[in-house]
Amino acid sequence: NAGVTQTPKFRILKIGQSMTLQCTQDMNHNYMYWYRQDPGMGLKLIYYSVGAGITDKGEVPNGYNVSRSTTEDFPLRLELAAPSQTSVYFCASSYEGGSSGNTIYFGEGSWLTVV
Amino acid sequence: KQEVTQIPAALSVPEGENLVLNCSFTDSAIYNLQWFRQDPGKGLTSLLLIQSSQREQTSGRLNASLDKSSGRSTLYIAASQPGDSATYLCAVNNNDMRFGAGTRLTVKP
């Protein structure tokens, strides 16, 4: 049981390039999330999904896109990378939404630097 | 808009001490509050979850309390150990999860 797996672990992008952060979970969770964590700050929600085919914006969605074609996968795409997107990105999943009190499981993070 | 604040930002204690980490939030209409641990270069691990109807939760040497009316939660760590060194984050949930910036704890042998 691998839990939540994110790739790549580290990536350096040039300004204007695009890339996709991959996230997959093997726990059959309905809910999946993408967060970013800037130095000394808490996590901020970028996008989330309540099930395959359904996605919604979080607190900081600008400059990102997501899709959820399967229950297991929730990729995050960065279009036209900017220095402000330099951050650590965390994918997470839970069986139900936060109001249910389900445990949320996090991946180990993807460190992205835009230069 | 929900704001979550954690004080102190960093804390250093000698091994064996009992300690308290604080979390405050501005909107008391929450479903639950969670405490997480984050080790350097790693993701977050859930430690304790308190539902809005509960006052506290315990797991081993950890005890978390919730006072929803005053917008406060505390995480009490008893008999601290060097292995407890990590960043501790609280997150409150009212439709989406909002995180504090965390308290970086160092327990010195």
Side-chain angles (χ1 to χ4, degrees), chain A residues 31-80:
Chain A
Y31 285 67
M32 296 188 74
Y33 316 83
W34 273 106
Y35 291 90
R36 61 176 285 172
Q37 184 178 33
D38 298 321
M41 306 288 287
L43 279 70
K44 293 191 176 181
L45 183 64
I46 305 171
Y47 270 95
Y48 68 100
S49 168
V50 303
I54 306 170
T55 63
D56 211 344
K57 296 178 181 179
E59 190 181 1
V60 289
N62 291 342
Y64 307 95
N65 278 301
V66 293
S67 60
R68 184 94 182 269
S69 56
T70 66
T71 299
E72 294 78 19
D73 300 306
F74 190 42
L76 176 72
R77 181 151 181 88
L78 282 72
E79 305 280 4
L80 299 175

Side-chain angles (χ1 to χ4, degrees), chain A residues 89-105:
Chain A
Y89 292 83
F90 289 98
C91 181
S93 73
S94 63
Y95 186 67
E96 293 179 337
S99 61
S100 69
N102 280 177
T103 299
I104 183 169
Y105 295 86

Side-chain angles (χ1 to χ4, degrees), chain B residues 13-73:
Chain B
V13 300
E15 181 177 4
E17 269 203 8
N18 303 324
L19 59 101
V20 174
L21 307 180
N22 297 292
C23 173
S24 61
F25 48 95
T26 55
D27 183 353
S28 62
I30 63 171
Y31 293 120
N32 54 63
L33 181 145
Q34 290 194 55
W35 283 93
F36 294 86
R37 170 183 173 136
Q38 185 177 27
D39 292 292
K42 299 291 186 180
L44 281 68
T45 300
S46 181
L47 297 172
L48 289 164
L49 182 147
I50 311 176
Q51 297 286 12
S52 62
S53 58
Q54 296 175 321
R55 297 284 292 184
E56 64 179 312
Q57 281 285 339
T58 298
S59 176
R61 293 182 294 108
L62 304 180
N63 176 276
S65 69
L66 175 63
D67 184 342
K68 208 172 65 163
S69 61
S70 68
R72 293 181 181 179
S73 175

